Amino acid sequence: MYIGIDDTDSRSGMCTTYLVFPLIEEIRNHGLDLIGYPRLVRLNPNIPWKTRGNGAISIRVGKGRGKKIKVGEMQGEEIFAYERGTHVFEEIDITRISSYFALKDENTNPGIILSPVKLPEKLYWRGVREIVPIEFVEQILRRYGARWYRFKLGRGIIGASAAIAWKRRNYTFELLTYLPRGMWSDDRFVDSKSVVEMDKNTRWTFDNYDYENRYVAIKPNSKTPVLFGIRGLIPGELMRAREMIKSTPYNSWIIYLTNQATDDHIVRRKIKDVKPYESVKILGTVSKEPKTIEGGHVIFAISDFTGEVECTAYEPTKGFRDIVRQLKLGDEVEVYGGVREEPFTVNVEKMRILKVAEIRVKLENPRCPVCGRKMESMGRGKGYRCRKCGTRLGEDAAIYGFLKRDIKEGWYEVPVIARRHLAKPLKLMTVRRENL
Ligand code: ATP
């Protein structure tokens, strides 16, 4: 059977990913095992009612068979998952899990699903790319014989169902470490130097440290149960990476299989079809040159044969804006980003420059072909005249050259500090899992 949970936390505490521990205790009490890695599934990053990263979790449960792998530790005790399992569909007591819900927060609307079978994949694809109505989810749950629990609005069943429905076509891992329960609101420390060392000494971890902005990206910005989380492609390397980090002591950690860094949220769109709350990639030509507005955001526009759309590199994208500022009319680009409704703009997270436009610029006025003197302009578009002998020439007689463009064709991305969970870092764009 499958269990999915979402929307249990508030901005001020808790984290849905922590619930894997009480869940594991609960299934153990029923004599059941974890089948495969627990899953952390990120959903539409443009959902206005998300708490932070719009993540939901799911686990598969059964009587374990086949190979046993270590996936974490819970208060120092090892947690294993089995490769395969026999089918079960049992009642699980959810009161223990729900005691962790931050129900007082008005934006916390938890949902839990127990499903005897895997849910249809469309729940995932719609969950990661669109806005899903709760009725649509309930209809499917009914059809698949699932049991579900809604607390308050119970919106969490949307994320929970998508987490169960996710099939790992593209995937990465994240190893998360947790503070003991009594310490969640305490100050904690993660040694930056050890993070840099780990980053340099591991091959397939990513988004650990932002060198440009001197920012440690493995630790959360708010006080949650999570001490730090390391992302990567290989569980074994993540376990080694964990040991390299110097931090406040902790005794629980787990490896999640995740859809982070897969670009699963991105859909290709023509400009006329771009809608708010989705994430898109659009091929176009720069049609309005970048300008920096108050707050340091950089705005430009691109167009294709169907229309024009505004794109913004927001201030938190830091040095990425310096690249964007170099765009000129006529540059051919492919822009990746989430679509905002108000103002209607694409919040750029990645960009490919396919062709840097050649821009002809006038370097000098022409010389008079009769007397050799430098000619003077008669006004914009009106050509040139020689003061001495009165010879006239057209506009094209001037000496032209091409504007020096420092920007090059290729890929550009926002720095680690501004990176979204789902955005695939350029480092991974050319990696094939078979070659690892
Ligand atoms: P955290 O990352 O800390 O767990 P969060 O950012 O995941 O928090 P939630 O508190 O889970 O935020 O809130 C997201 C809510 O949006 C959940 O109720 C989830 O079910 C719902 N949701 C997720 N994706 C969609 C979607 N595509 N359409 C509609 N609702 C969605």
Side-chain angles (χ1 to χ4, degrees):
M1 68 188 262
Y2 295 81
I3 307 178
I5 306 190
D6 194 16
D7 207 345
T8 65
D9 53 356
S10 64
R11 260 176 208 279
S12 52
M14 258 310 285
C15 173
T16 300
T17 66
Y18 181 80
L19 294 183
V20 75
F21 296 111
L23 256 180
I24 290 172
E25 274 182 10
E26 199 49 47
I27 63 168
R28 277 186 183 169
N29 293 343
H30 284 74
L32 299 172
D33 304 301
L34 204 52
I35 313 299
Y37 283 95
R39 293 167 172 227
L40 165 59
V41 179
R42 299 288 177 179
L43 298 163
N44 190 339
N46 311 308
I47 289 288
W49 47 84
K50 67 178 183 176
T51 312
R52 281 181 292 264
N54 202 6
I57 62 161
S58 72
I59 57 171
R60 188 174 168 195
V61 174
K63 290 257 183 224
R65 295 272 178 278
K67 219 169 91 187
K68 200 168 117 176
I69 39 167
K70 180 169 173 179
V71 296
E73 284 176 20
M74 177 160 59
Q75 283 153 28
E77 193 192 327
E78 293 178 300
I79 306 171
F80 292 97
Y82 288 83
E83 203 176 30
R84 285 173 286 117
T86 48
H87 185 79
V88 294
F89 189 42
E90 287 193 18
E91 192 56 72
I92 296 279
D93 182 8
I94 59 152
T95 38
R96 181 194 189 99
I97 299 148
S98 57
S99 69
Y100 287 88
F101 297 171
L103 289 170
K104 284 205 196 89
D105 190 300
E106 61 166 333
N107 291 321
T108 303
N109 295 288
I112 303 184
I113 299 174
L114 309 182
S115 176
V117 286
K118 196 156 178 75
L119 294 169
E121 206 181 347
K122 67 178 170 203
L123 276 173
Y124 167 66
W125 288 110
R126 289 194 59 179
V128 77
R129 293 180 169 178
E130 299 170 25
I131 295 200
V132 181
I134 201 161
E135 301 76 34
F136 171 75
V137 173
E138 286 193 315
Q139 224 175 46
I140 293 181
L141 295 181
R142 224 168 274 129
R143 205 175 323 137
Y144 279 72
R147 275 197 286 272
W148 66 97
Y149 304 87
R150 290 175 61 173
F151 297 78
K152 293 161 63 190
L153 294 179
R155 197 150 57 191
I157 63 167
I158 303 171
S161 66
I164 295 177
W166 176 52
K167 272 199 174 152
R168 55 161 196 185
R169 298 182 190 280
N170 285 313
Y171 58 94
T172 61
F173 295 89
E174 179 162 1
L175 185 152
L176 288 150
T177 62
Y178 297 88
L179 291 167
R181 201 169 180 181
M183 291 171 61
W184 292 350
S185 49
D186 294 1
D187 288 336
R188 68 282 303 279
F189 112 101
V190 175
D191 175 53
S192 313
K193 258 202 198 139
S194 70
V195 176
V196 173
E197 280 300 299
M198 179 275 283
D199 186 63
K200 291 190 168 148
N201 289 297
T202 50
R203 178 127 194 243
W204 296 117
T205 62
F206 55 89
D207 292 356
N208 298 313
Y209 188 76
D210 187 326
Y211 291 88
E212 194 184 313
N213 299 293
R214 295 165 170 259
Y215 172 79
V216 176
I218 69 167
K219 76 181 182 206
N221 288 319
S222 48
K223 286 185 178 169
T224 79
V226 175
L227 178 60
F228 62 83
I230 313 173
R231 295 129 200 267
L233 299 184
I234 304 167
E237 189 181 50
L238 287 178
M239 292 202 237
R240 285 198 300 283
R242 176 182 80 86
E243 287 168 2
M244 297 179 202
I245 303 298
K246 296 196 184 90
S247 71
T248 307
Y250 59 93
N251 58 7
S252 296
W253 58 271
I254 193 122
I255 297 180
Y256 273 105
L257 179 73
T258 111
N259 65 339
Q260 292 173 162
T262 59
D263 271 352
D264 271 2
H265 59 316
I266 302 280
V267 282
R268 171 165 306 287
R269 287 276 182 257
K270 294 194 199 83
I271 288 174
K272 76 167 170 39
D273 299 329
V274 170
K275 290 192 301 286
Y277 305 116
E278 60 181 16
S279 301
V280 292
K281 53 177 168 183
I282 314 168
L283 275 172
T285 307
V286 174
S287 52
K288 284 199 185 103
E289 286 193 356
K291 67 170 195 282
T292 304
I293 62 160
E294 207 184 316
H297 316 305
V298 180
I299 302 182
F300 63 103
I302 60 169
S303 62
D304 67 6
F305 63 97
T306 70
E308 182 179 70
V309 70
E310 186 183 273
C311 304
T312 309
Y314 283 95
E315 187 282 332
T317 66
K318 307 288 175 202
F320 179 67
R321 293 170 302 161
D322 297 336
I323 306 289
V324 169
R325 283 193 190 99
Q326 295 179 48
L327 291 173
K328 294 275 181 213
L329 291 183
D331 286 344
E332 282 171 37
V333 293
E334 184 175 37
V335 168
Y336 284 61
V339 185
R340 284 183 58 157
E341 182 165 36
E342 198 47 56
F344 186 72
T345 193
V346 179
N347 175 0
V348 187
E349 57 191 48
K350 188 156 60 194
M351 175 173 77
R352 179 149 67 118
I353 300 182
L354 294 136
K355 195 157 189 302
V356 176
E358 284 191 334
I359 297 169
R360 214 165 81 109
V361 281
K362 192 184 100 179
L363 299 176
E364 277 177 51
N365 289 0
R367 284 194 180 275
C368 175
V370 180
C371 65
R373 264 183 75 126
K374 230 202 205 135
M375 299 175 83
E376 69 177 9
S377 170
M378 296 191 294
R380 213 183 160 87
K382 291 192 180 134
Y384 299 89
R385 182 181 57 194
C386 178
R387 258 204 188 166
K388 197 168 164 205
C389 66
T391 306
R392 292 176 177 228
L393 289 176
E395 198 62 22
D396 269 354
I399 302 160
Y400 287 91
F402 288 103
L403 188 72
K404 184 169 173 298
R405 304 289 309 272
D406 290 329
I407 198 166
K408 299 217 160 34
E409 282 145 19
W411 286 95
Y412 298 89
E413 65 185 337
V414 301
V416 171
I417 193 172
R419 198 146 314 145
R420 288 191 139 159
H421 296 296
L422 278 160
K424 187 181 240 187
L426 297 184
K427 170 177 175 180
L428 302 187
M429 296 294 273
T430 51
V431 177
R432 298 182 72 88
R433 203 160 257 288
E434 312 80 271
N435 303 336
L436 292 181

